[in-house]
Amino acid sequence: MTRLCVLTAAACALAVLVTAATPLVTFHKDVLPILRKNCQTCHRPGEVAPFSLMSYAEARPRAKAIKVAVVGQQMPPWFAHPKVGHFSNERRLTEAQIATLVSWANNGAPEGDPKDAPPPLKFVDGWNIKPDLEIEMPAEFHVPATGTIDYQYMLVKTNFPEDMWVSAAEMRPGNSKVVHHGEAWIRPPGAKWMADATPGVSYPSQTMKRGPGDGLEILGEFNPGLGHQTFDFGSSAKFVPKGSDIVFEIHYTALGTAQTSKSVVGLVLAKNRPQLRYITSYGPTGGNLVIEPNDDNAEVVSEITAQFDSKMVYIQPHMHVRGKDYEVRLVYPSGETQTVFPGRFDFNWQLGYDLEKQVTIPKGTKIQGIAHYDNSANNKWNPDPAKEVVWGLQNWEEMQNCFMGFLIDSEVDPEKLFTASGPSVLKRLTGTGGPTQSSLQ
């Protein structure tokens, strides 16, 4: 009995010493630097996150929720596989950062001394970039309270007086509650698309269909959690030809009450003419996809083949509410294969991934997109698990493609860089599912 008391006393004394030696984690000194680096891009007023984490008063009531989110790796949203591929914009927290947030929550979320706070991040009038040029929709779009809303196109007459090179862009929705996603397209002079459109008028996509051959290019885009896009990867930029206009393509969703929205795209101009041109490609596209009813792991595979040499620098998978995961696989002319991206997919956070090292894509390389979907009742977002699903624009339909960024020689025609191949040129076969990896054999 005496021995037990001695051991207990010793253990208590050791615990006191360890506690005394461990500094108290406080908000201003330890937590705020983590939030500023990893969270405040989205968790600030006017952004896509549902609440702000700019101050102690805002963060303190959510301390336990923050702990649960970071321990479960739900936040910050980052879905790339931790052991395959390296990305310069990675948002993953370190084990030490997670431990700091957990300790803060477990110990009553103390504030500490405000003098310990790091300098605040400087956001430029709500932007994540400092734009040299802002292009805004000339008129609001009136979003009805209910019903299905076709994708909308609105022309903005900019008629740029000279060629421009853009090093970064950011599209910001006028009303993020009703803008599901959107793109600002470069419409070069002479393009047939939207040639008869009245500037400032919204047209349903079905009446102004976009087709190949017009030299169209995405200038900037908005998706939940995406942020701005960078086009400068070692002296590269995106090209906007003299005389071009801008077309906003926006997917609105009804909220239950009538709303309005007027979006804008901001541009950072390159200081010098770059050596390489950055282009955004739709990547491998499964327009012939078929997802069978009640399939909790439906597979769809797509493919494109490179017609010229290029370098891959960016990956952004795109699916809808049934999307589970996505893989980008390269098959080189030698027959060697390489997976450059595997990761989970979350429709609520459609992220883009900047490759830390450029990946050379020789002519003849096949780029394959391998996606899986949950069309079962276990998927809480699934509108109808009993339905066979094919390609469609609306959220309850499905897509399978991957926006990709490539660096090319300025003399190469971007529209001729890739051709659809393999499974992507097969006829859609309803009642069968796919195309699957068996179509690659």
Side-chain angles (χ1 to χ4, degrees):
M1 190 64 150
T2 303
R3 178 179 173 80
L4 177 60
C5 291
V6 170
L7 288 175
T8 302
C12 290
L14 178 60
V16 170
L17 288 173
V18 170
T19 301
T22 303
L24 180 66
V25 173
T26 65
F27 177 79
H28 293 292
K29 184 177 181 181
D30 306 292
V31 172
L32 186 55
I34 298 174
L35 299 183
R36 286 191 175 161
K37 182 179 180 181
N38 299 280
C39 309
Q40 289 183 355
T41 298
C42 294
H43 285 275
R44 57 188 172 94
E47 291 301 321
V48 295
F51 53 86
S52 176
L53 291 174
M54 299 293 289
S55 67
Y56 177 72
E58 293 170 333
R60 172 64 183 86
R62 304 185 184 276
K64 296 297 184 182
I66 291 171
K67 170 188 169 181
V68 171
V70 300
V71 169
Q73 297 186 0
Q74 298 169 328
M75 288 286 145
W78 187 258
F79 309 120
H81 193 287
K83 296 184 179 179
V84 182
H86 297 281
F87 306 95
S88 60
N89 62 332
E90 183 168 318
R91 298 176 182 172
R92 201 186 315 274
L93 296 181
T94 65
E95 290 184 5
Q97 289 172 325
I98 294 173
T100 295
L101 296 174
V102 169
S103 176
W104 179 64
N106 286 346
N107 289 283
E111 180 178 9
D113 189 343
K115 294 180 181 178
D116 292 333
L121 296 178
K122 295 181 179 179
F123 297 106
V124 183
D125 295 330
W127 296 93
N128 294 298
I129 60 174
K130 187 176 181 180
D132 297 313
L133 181 63
E134 298 178 20
I135 302 168
E136 186 176 38
M137 292 169 53
E140 292 181 330
F141 179 76
H142 292 264
V143 183
T146 60
T148 299
I149 306 168
D150 287 334
Y151 281 36
Q152 298 290 317
Y153 297 143
M154 183 180 288
L155 175 67
V156 182
K157 292 295 291 182
T158 49
N159 195 26
F160 297 112
E162 58 185 6
D163 290 347
M164 292 195 315
W165 291 92
V166 178
S167 61
E170 181 179 2
M171 180 177 171
R172 297 189 64 81
N175 183 345
S176 60
K177 294 179 180 179
V178 292
V179 176
H180 171 262
H181 75 271
E183 291 90 28
W185 288 85
I186 303 167
R187 182 189 175 278
K192 297 177 181 178
W193 181 49
M194 302 287 285
D196 298 326
T198 301
V201 174
S202 280
Y203 294 88
S205 60
Q206 297 302 317
T207 64
M208 289 286 183
K209 291 185 178 181
R210 186 179 64 248
D214 271 347
L216 307 173
E217 164 75 300
I218 295 175
L219 181 57
E221 57 180 319
F222 167 78
N223 279 301
L226 182 64
H228 70 282
Q229 295 90 61
T230 298
F231 310 132
D232 185 359
F233 289 83
S235 188
S236 64
K238 185 160 284 194
F239 179 56
V240 181
K242 173 183 177 180
S244 294
D245 296 317
I246 300 299
V247 176
F248 283 89
E249 174 185 348
I250 302 184
H251 180 189
Y252 299 99
T253 54
L255 189 63
T257 58
Q259 302 279 321
T260 60
S261 183
K262 189 178 182 183
S263 298
V264 60
V265 63
L267 310 178
V268 177
L269 304 182
K271 294 180 174 58
N272 301 298
R273 180 185 175 92
Q275 297 176 354
L276 295 172
R277 178 177 177 180
Y278 181 109
I279 65 144
T280 302
S281 165
Y282 262 82
T285 301
N288 55 352
L289 69 85
V290 179
I291 300 172
E292 290 296 281
N294 303 305
D295 190 339
D296 65 357
N297 198 41
E299 184 174 85
V300 175
V301 176
S302 56
E303 182 183 272
I304 54 177
T305 299
Q307 305 301 303
F308 303 95
D309 294 346
S310 66
K311 291 184 182 295
M312 177 188 290
V313 294
Y314 176 78
I315 293 171
Q316 184 195 336
H318 182 72
M319 296 182 277
H320 287 175
V321 295
R322 299 171 183 84
K324 287 177 59 178
D325 56 65
Y326 196 93
E327 175 186 346
V328 177
R329 183 184 301 172
L330 307 180
V331 181
Y332 294 101
S334 64
E336 177 188 1
T337 63
Q338 178 188 5
T339 294
V340 293
F341 175 88
R344 296 179 292 115
F345 181 81
D346 187 330
F347 180 72
N348 299 298
W349 294 97
Q350 298 185 34
L351 307 183
Y353 303 86
D354 292 325
L355 295 169
E356 191 171 74
K357 294 183 179 179
Q358 300 172 12
V359 177
T360 299
I361 308 295
K363 177 182 178 180
T365 300
K366 297 176 181 178
I367 303 178
Q368 297 170 347
I370 302 168
H372 293 95
Y373 300 81
D374 184 354
N375 193 28
S376 74
N378 293 327
N379 178 0
K380 67 178 181 179
W381 305 108
N382 192 355
D384 187 358
K387 180 182 178 181
E388 181 182 72
V389 184
V390 296
W391 179 279
L393 298 179
Q394 298 297 334
N395 295 352
W396 57 86
E397 299 167 313
E398 272 301 338
M399 288 187 173
Q400 196 262 32
N401 70 286
C402 185
F403 297 102
M404 294 179 171
F406 296 93
L407 307 185
I408 62 173
D409 184 275
S410 59
E411 301 302 318
V412 172
D413 182 350
E415 292 198 340
K416 296 180 180 179
L417 181 58
F418 297 105
T419 57
S421 57
S424 291
V425 298
L426 297 176
K427 183 179 179 180
R428 176 185 291 145
L429 296 175
T430 57
T432 62
T436 65
Q437 292 189 65
S438 61
S439 65
L440 298 171
Q441 306 303 320

